[in-house]
Amino acid sequence: GASAGGHLSLMMGCASREGNPSAKDPVDRVSSRIAAVGCFFPPTDFHSATLVGESIYIIGSLSYLGTRAVSETPVYQLNCQNFQIEPIETAGEKPGWIHRHSAEYNEEAQTIQLSGGKLYVERDDSQQLEDNDNRYTLDLTTRAWHREVDRP
């Protein structure tokens, strides 16, 4: 798929299910698992997408110039069962407007840790792009950010 079709093919690749052999409907007995996804030009905003249980947490965004709030970090939760997406309000020491970063889920701690990437910052009345030299952790139970490490 391309563009919206690319998005749809990526979502189907993440949301397939095994068939239910005891289902009354013969269609429900067959697996909807997809063996491969061919995606051309999918829409992307250089965010991270982290699978946590039956949800995908989408963090960060490149966005459009003039729409970025440098003190905010966009966080969304996509429910993989019904495909509903909702913004997640967070608190704490947020990374700011981040994109092109890496995200890693820690199941035991129920956290997502961000590292690397680029941040938009305000300097001299303009937004500038800088490397992110810190690690930030989002606690999924409290929805609070913590800055973990200042790198030299």
Side-chain angles (χ1 to χ4, degrees):
S3 193
H7 176 73
L8 179 59
S9 61
L10 290 174
M11 291 296 100
M12 289 305 298
C14 293
S16 58
R17 298 179 188 192
E18 292 294 331
N20 180 354
S22 60
K24 290 182 182 178
D25 188 330
V27 171
D28 291 333
R29 292 184 206 137
V30 180
S31 171
S32 66
R33 293 235 183 253
I34 295 176
V37 172
C39 185
F40 305 96
F41 311 110
T44 184
D45 213 4
F46 299 107
H47 54 262
S48 60
T50 308
L51 181 63
V52 177
E54 301 214 353
S55 292
I56 296 173
Y57 283 81
I58 301 163
I59 301 176
S61 171
L62 176 59
S63 195
Y64 295 102
L65 188 61
T67 63
R68 302 173 188 124
V70 296
S71 61
E72 291 298 318
T73 304
V75 179
Y76 297 91
Q77 183 178 10
L78 171 67
N79 182 313
C80 294
Q81 298 302 307
N82 61 20
F83 298 108
Q84 290 185 348
I85 189 167
E86 61 183 67
I88 301 296
E89 293 293 323
T90 61
E93 194 172 358
K94 302 174 185 180
W97 205 270
I98 191 168
H99 68 283
R100 295 184 185 242
H101 56 280
S102 297
E104 185 176 327
Y105 174 55
N106 181 324
E107 185 175 6
E108 185 177 328
Q110 289 294 296
T111 60
I112 298 175
Q113 186 178 76
L114 305 186
S115 60
K118 304 283 186 181
L119 293 168
Y120 279 94
V121 296
E122 293 280 344
R123 299 246 194 273
D124 303 322
D125 295 327
S126 68
Q127 290 183 2
Q128 297 179 11
L129 191 61
E130 292 186 356
D131 289 333
N132 172 37
D133 293 327
N134 297 302
R135 285 190 290 230
Y136 292 88
T137 299
L138 175 61
D139 184 318
L140 297 176
T141 57
T142 64
R143 297 186 174 178
W145 287 100
H146 305 280
R147 186 171 58 163
E148 296 296 319
V149 175
D150 284 319
R151 296 182 185 163

